[in-house]
Amino acid sequence: MMEWMSAAEAMAALGVRRQTLYAYVSRGRIAAETDAADPRRSRYSAADVKLMAERKRRGRKAADVAQSAIAWGEPVLESAITTVAHGRLFYRGQDAVALAATHDFEAVSRLLRGQTNADLFPAQLAPSPKGKTARARLFTALATRAAIDLPLAGRSPNALFVEAASLLDQVVTAAAGQEGRGPAHERLAAAWGCDADGANLIRRALVLLADHELNASTFAARVAASTGASLAASALAGLAALSGPLHGGMASRVESFLAEVKRGGAEAATAARLMRGEPPPGFGHPLYPEGDPRALALLGAFETPKRWAAAAKAAEEAGFGRPNIDFALTALAKHLALPQDAPFTLFATARCAGWIAHAVEQSGTGRLIRPRARYVGLPAL
């Protein structure tokens, strides 16, 4: 179970003033929550404070800084696309939650890649790739395009914008499993048998998931793009990284926890996780000490299913924080009676917009991403 420190204890451990402690919290480097014993005060993650103190003790040796930057550390490259600041998510300076209230996925996709005009040409109607699952169709669609599309290097922005619109159209076709025209949320809603209200919730989810700074899949996409690989190849690299259980596959772990809740109740399931030393998946986020705004915005748009509401209450009371976007996606899928793989399908379809935007931006730098490894093997003789 997470251990906490008072502000005075945290400042003493770090040797900093209160303002500096608050800055660490706002940047997502130290988790904080309201002290239940005194709502006027906050308490701070002892583990985060310890890690920060260790970083200060090590100093600013280049190798140490580089190593710590790999996991939730210091920024490692410049980007004008997305940032997390003050507990909120921004797409090119615009609040993602506000965008989700009014914008569709296509408009936000253009915003992310810096495209100020509408799509230059209507996207070609793409045939639906073969595959029994949406995941298989998404991999097939991107792999097929990756094998034939032109490299990124040296191409004009307009040419890339046309290709981006076409690629996203094909991704939506693969996700839906059927050909179609119109906004992505309407095509997915039609494929899943949702009404207009359900389509609007899908639209919100797509916008909220479109990008999230330099996460694992986006970094993979940028690495591929830095070699000059095509937009499709870059997005395929992102999809491969997203497929892992610690990233886009997290929703499956949340669903497993909800199955435990169904069998024994929310409090018992949470207590069992505590006894095993396993935090329940779907709660808390390193970048959002006060709660994932994407989850709050999505969950606030529909009535949370009873089992999900009970799980959220039990987990928060046990000190695991508020629901994150993975939890919210599974709740949405339950609310709309979506297919089992819908959370991953929504995540992958939406995030493809971000992968493409980052690939375009990375290509514009003309730089190859090539970090060095710190060798710890047998002596080199």
Side-chain angles (χ1 to χ4, degrees), residues 66-158:
Q67 184 177 21
S68 66
I70 293 297
W72 307 102
E74 299 293 341
V76 297
L77 55 79
E78 295 181 346
S79 176
I81 299 174
T82 302
T83 190
V84 175
H86 313 298
R88 296 157 63 194
L89 175 65
F90 295 88
Y91 297 157
R92 292 194 181 272
Q94 299 189 48
D95 191 317
V97 169
L99 290 170
T102 57
H103 287 56
D104 62 26
F105 175 62
E106 288 73 19
V108 170
S109 298
R110 291 191 292 271
L111 171 66
L112 288 173
R113 58 181 181 257
Q115 182 178 336
T116 56
N117 56 332
D119 291 329
L120 302 181
F121 302 100
Q124 297 299 313
L125 188 64
S128 179
K130 297 184 182 299
K132 293 183 178 180
T133 67
R135 183 186 298 235
R137 294 193 298 269
L138 286 166
F139 270 102
T140 299
L142 289 176
T144 300
R145 287 284 297 261
I148 60 176
D149 284 359
L150 293 173
L152 277 165
R155 300 176 62 197
S156 71
N158 282 349

Side-chain angles (χ1 to χ4, degrees), residues 79-84 88-92 96 105 108-109 111-113 205-219 221-222 247 287-288 292 294 325 346-359 361:
S79 176
I81 299 174
T82 302
T83 190
V84 175
R88 296 157 63 194
L89 175 65
F90 295 88
Y91 297 157
R92 292 194 181 272
F105 175 62
V108 170
S109 298
L111 171 66
L112 288 173
R113 58 181 181 257
L206 290 171
V207 172
L208 291 167
L209 287 163
D211 196 45
H212 200 228
E213 204 220 38
L214 199 59
N215 54 79
S217 58
T218 299
F219 188 65
R222 288 194 76 123
H247 194 1
L287 295 182
Y288 303 112
D292 186 340
R294 302 167 299 170
I325 191 62
L346 280 169
F347 206 146
T349 302
R351 192 56 55 85
C352 194
W355 296 331
I356 288 172
H358 281 272
E361 184 180 63

Side-chain angles (χ1 to χ4, degrees), residues 81 152 160 218 221-226 229-235 353-365:
I81 299 174
L152 277 165
L160 293 178
T218 299
R222 288 194 76 123
V223 170
S226 78
S230 67
L231 285 180
S234 301
W355 296 331
I356 288 172
H358 281 272
V360 171
E361 184 180 63
Q362 183 62 42
S363 177
T365 70

